[in-house]
Amino acid sequence: MKTRFAPSPTGYIHIGNVRSAIYPYLLAKQKHGKFILRIEDTDRERYVEGATELIMDTLKWLGLDWDEGPVIGGPNAPYFQTERKSIYHKWAQKLIAEGRAYADPTAPDIINKYRQECTDKKIPFLYRNFRPTDTPEWHEGLPLRFKSDPKPRKWHDVVMGDLSVGSEVQDDIILIKKDGLPTYNFAHIVDDAEMDVTHVIRGAEYLSSVPNYLALYEALGLEVPILVTLPHILGPTGNKKLSKRDGAKSVVDYRDDGVLPETMLNYLACLGWNDGTEQEIYTHDELIERFSLERIQTSGARFDETKLLWLNGQWLRRLVEEQGIAQFYPRTEGFWPDSAKAYDAKYRQKVFAIIYDRLKALSDLRTMTSYFFEDPNIDLKLIIDNKFLKKFSENELVDFLQQSVAKLQGTDWDEKSLQSALNQLLETTTLKPAELFSLIRIALSYAPFSPALNLTLATLGRETSLARLNSTITALANA
Ligand code: GLU
């Protein structure tokens, strides 16, 4: 078993593409086969500097190590198509020799004229209907075209099932462009054969070209590999293909937002595949064990960022609980608010320990923890308009806070003592927990939510906590 991921370095890997890396990887690992990374860089107009590195970084981040490909090499090196030109030319010569390919001297404006004629007559444009009769010997600088042999074709696709077409869609496709480099259509067939790829797993955008590929395999005398077409990933509305316009971000953008690679691999693997159970959380090794081509669904799968973030929250909890705070902590680097820099790792670990179970992405640390590192801006509206507090007058609120300060002042500053002091305050003030605790919580943080109050107090420390309660007392008294 040999599978491959064959990206074109035309930009970043977006969510819609990366599944074409995950499934071949899982399959190869499961069957103890090989997973190849091949860089399809023959379209020089769309080539983007640095894209190959970005692709490799993304794969490594997801834990999809390739067995053959750039950097590590392999028996079929090189793995960049631009470095394999002589191989494509060798195969092209075979087609030329057998009369199955021809050099095309037709100028582009003439081709456009043919195309326009067809548009005007409302008939499909097929180049074979305009095949030049007098063709020169092929040399670099002239496009090389396939001489198609249209006929009905049947094939099997592991996901799409038994498929068939009539002759109408097969055409004289370009094999080698004017610049001497092959088209995707030709190069991937040659490479998959040279590299002994057994399973071609790719997106649905290639499905309509398969009849042309079948004709090429036949003309080249090659066995057709097992074809696996992945259904589209649909945008949030579920009725069209996910596009950059729907915010189809790069995989790396999610990494920078604090989505964990464990989540991303899990989420994308399950986008259009399931193992028939209700399980939602899969480790890398479980995916390898459970994956099967037969359970890839035929219809498009909807990309749902809310679900992705939910899953990330689950993974965060799981990893922190498995590894412990100290071991997980280095993965939070870079996600803290700037004000956290003034504090040591020990204090940040304390903050992380009480808040991690509320995070969806690590970048939430930036917005959700700043009050642990700097005094929040007092915004009395948050208190006065709070649904539990709006029935009290400012004087009453001041009184509750003063009672709280008085009680907490004499309390040992540990989680347990703080909890019992808070419970006693409930009795003496006769307030409900939602009332008293909202008041103290807002006065400490001015944030939409915070961890359990005793934990927040314990982490902030006596001095900071009391100073913040006093500042709010002063502000309310002067309001
Ligand atoms: N280079 C093609 C792409 O990036 C690969 C398609 C394939 O997997 O064969 O879409």
Side-chain angles (χ1 to χ4, degrees):
M1 158 116 26
K2 259 188 164 191
T3 63
R4 75 337 185 247
F5 177 48
S8 301
T10 54
Y12 58 71
I13 309 196
H14 91 74
I15 295 290
N17 305 132
V18 70
R19 216 181 33 174
S20 317
I22 295 176
Y23 291 170
Y25 169 85
L26 294 176
L27 191 66
K29 294 292 129 178
Q30 183 183 72
K31 308 285 189 219
H32 307 287
K34 295 267 187 270
F35 172 59
I36 304 173
L37 173 62
R38 180 173 77 223
I39 305 297
E40 302 204 325
D41 55 351
T42 60
D43 188 345
R44 301 316 284 171
E45 276 164 34
R46 295 180 59 221
Y47 178 79
V48 172
E49 200 63 55
T52 303
E53 287 69 26
L54 204 56
I55 289 167
M56 294 196 290
D57 280 357
T58 306
L59 295 181
K60 281 191 219 143
W61 179 70
L62 286 168
L64 306 177
D65 294 327
W66 53 99
D67 303 300
E68 291 175 25
V71 187
I72 57 171
N76 295 98
Y79 292 91
F80 287 86
Q81 288 185 328
T82 45
E83 294 171 22
R84 300 172 59 77
K85 207 163 135 176
S86 59
I87 300 173
Y88 309 119
H89 286 206
K90 182 190 80 192
W91 286 85
Q93 289 300 347
K94 181 172 144 80
L95 289 175
I96 295 169
E98 288 166 11
R100 294 305 310 275
Y102 61 92
D104 186 6
T106 319
D109 55 331
I110 310 268
I111 300 180
N112 283 337
K113 211 182 84 205
Y114 296 158
R115 189 173 286 121
Q116 190 57 48
E117 272 175 43
C118 294
T119 312
D120 294 346
K121 288 192 207 148
K122 297 193 170 62
I123 54 169
F125 171 64
L126 285 168
Y127 198 77
R128 59 176 150 88
N129 296 333
F130 301 92
R131 189 181 289 162
T133 41
D134 192 14
T135 59
E137 196 169 325
W138 181 66
H139 58 84
E140 233 183 277
L142 279 180
L144 183 74
R145 281 188 187 265
F146 182 52
K147 192 180 269 180
S148 61
D149 168 26
K151 57 183 181 196
R153 296 191 186 270
K154 282 193 174 76
W155 77 101
H156 181 75
D157 183 290
V158 176
V159 176
M160 302 294 168
D162 288 324
L163 300 168
S164 60
V165 289
S167 57
E168 58 283 353
V169 291
Q170 294 150 64
D171 202 6
D172 288 7
I173 55 174
I174 296 181
L175 305 174
I176 300 201
K177 299 170 290 169
K178 249 168 64 172
D179 64 5
L181 287 169
T183 54
Y184 164 76
N185 292 338
F186 185 50
H188 86 276
I189 289 183
V190 168
D191 285 342
D192 286 339
E194 291 258 343
M195 296 177 183
D196 300 317
V197 168
T198 55
H199 293 66
V200 170
I201 304 174
R202 66 184 155 202
E205 58 274 31
Y206 296 96
L207 191 59
S208 61
S209 305
V210 170
N212 280 320
Y213 303 155
L214 296 176
L216 266 173
Y217 286 116
E218 192 178 78
L220 292 163
L222 294 172
E223 204 179 309
V224 182
I226 295 169
L227 300 176
V228 183
T229 297
L230 305 182
H232 286 309
I233 294 181
L234 305 175
T237 53
N239 53 16
K240 64 178 179 41
K241 204 176 140 186
L242 181 72
S243 70
K244 290 190 185 172
R245 223 174 300 152
D246 307 307
K249 294 197 273 189
S250 100
V251 178
V252 176
D253 285 337
Y254 285 101
R255 174 190 69 189
D256 297 346
D257 282 350
V259 170
L260 303 166
E262 288 87 348
T263 309
M264 201 50 137
L265 182 71
N266 185 166
Y267 180 75
L268 292 173
C270 296
L271 203 55
W273 168 84
N274 66 74
D275 70 355
T277 70
E278 295 292 301
Q279 189 170 337
E280 293 191 283
I281 308 205
Y282 294 90
T283 62
H284 170 268
D285 290 351
E286 279 170 335
L287 286 170
I288 292 177
E289 193 188 304
R290 310 274 188 87
F291 181 71
S292 73
L293 292 176
E294 289 67 31
R295 293 204 60 93
I296 295 176
Q297 69 192 42
T298 34
S299 54
R302 194 169 68 89
F303 178 70
D304 178 352
E305 199 171 279
T306 311
K307 176 89 194 282
L308 174 75
L309 291 175
W310 170 82
L311 191 66
N312 201 49
Q314 302 290 313
W315 263 107
L316 249 164
R317 279 188 271 297
R318 173 171 173 155
L319 293 171
V320 170
E321 278 144 32
E322 269 171 21
Q323 302 174 357
I325 296 289
Q327 206 188 322
F328 186 86
Y329 171 76
R331 295 179 71 171
T332 67
E333 297 286 7
F335 292 104
W336 293 94
D338 286 343
S339 50
K341 287 205 185 84
Y343 291 79
D344 62 11
K346 212 168 135 224
Y347 179 69
R348 287 200 296 256
Q349 285 189 20
K350 261 175 141 175
V351 174
F352 188 65
I354 64 171
I355 207 155
Y356 78 87
D357 62 347
R358 299 184 180 230
L359 305 176
K360 290 218 161 75
L362 288 173
S363 57
D364 292 341
L365 287 172
R366 220 168 274 142
T367 49
M368 285 170 43
T369 66
S370 58
Y371 58 88
F372 284 103
F373 306 104
E374 61 191 316
D375 287 335
N377 291 327
I378 294 180
D379 177 3
L380 291 182
K381 266 171 70 76
L382 289 182
I383 295 180
I384 291 163
D385 297 343
N386 181 281
K387 65 175 170 188
F388 300 113
L389 303 175
K390 60 180 169 217
K391 59 174 168 287
F392 300 112
S393 71
E394 275 134 32
N395 284 343
E396 286 173 307
L397 294 167
V398 166
D399 177 48
F400 301 145
L401 282 172
Q402 280 171 337
Q403 289 191 50
S404 307
V405 169
K407 177 76 201 168
L408 292 170
Q409 245 160 4
T411 302
D412 284 342
W413 216 263
D414 59 73
E415 290 165 20
K416 250 176 111 185
S417 314
L418 285 163
Q419 189 56 56
S420 67
L422 291 169
N423 292 342
Q424 286 166 36
L425 270 168
L426 286 176
E427 279 173 33
T428 50
T429 57
T430 70
L431 291 174
K432 297 195 179 96
E435 295 160 351
L436 180 70
F437 295 169
S438 297
L439 177 60
I440 300 178
R441 198 180 57 69
I442 299 171
L444 292 172
S445 69
Y446 286 93
F449 64 85
S450 57
L453 197 46
N454 65 324
L455 303 181
T456 305
L457 285 162
T459 306
L460 282 171
R462 182 194 302 271
E463 209 185 312
T464 305
S465 303
L466 296 179
R468 288 190 189 171
L469 297 181
N470 282 321
S471 304
T472 294
I473 291 171
T474 312
L476 277 170
N478 295 330

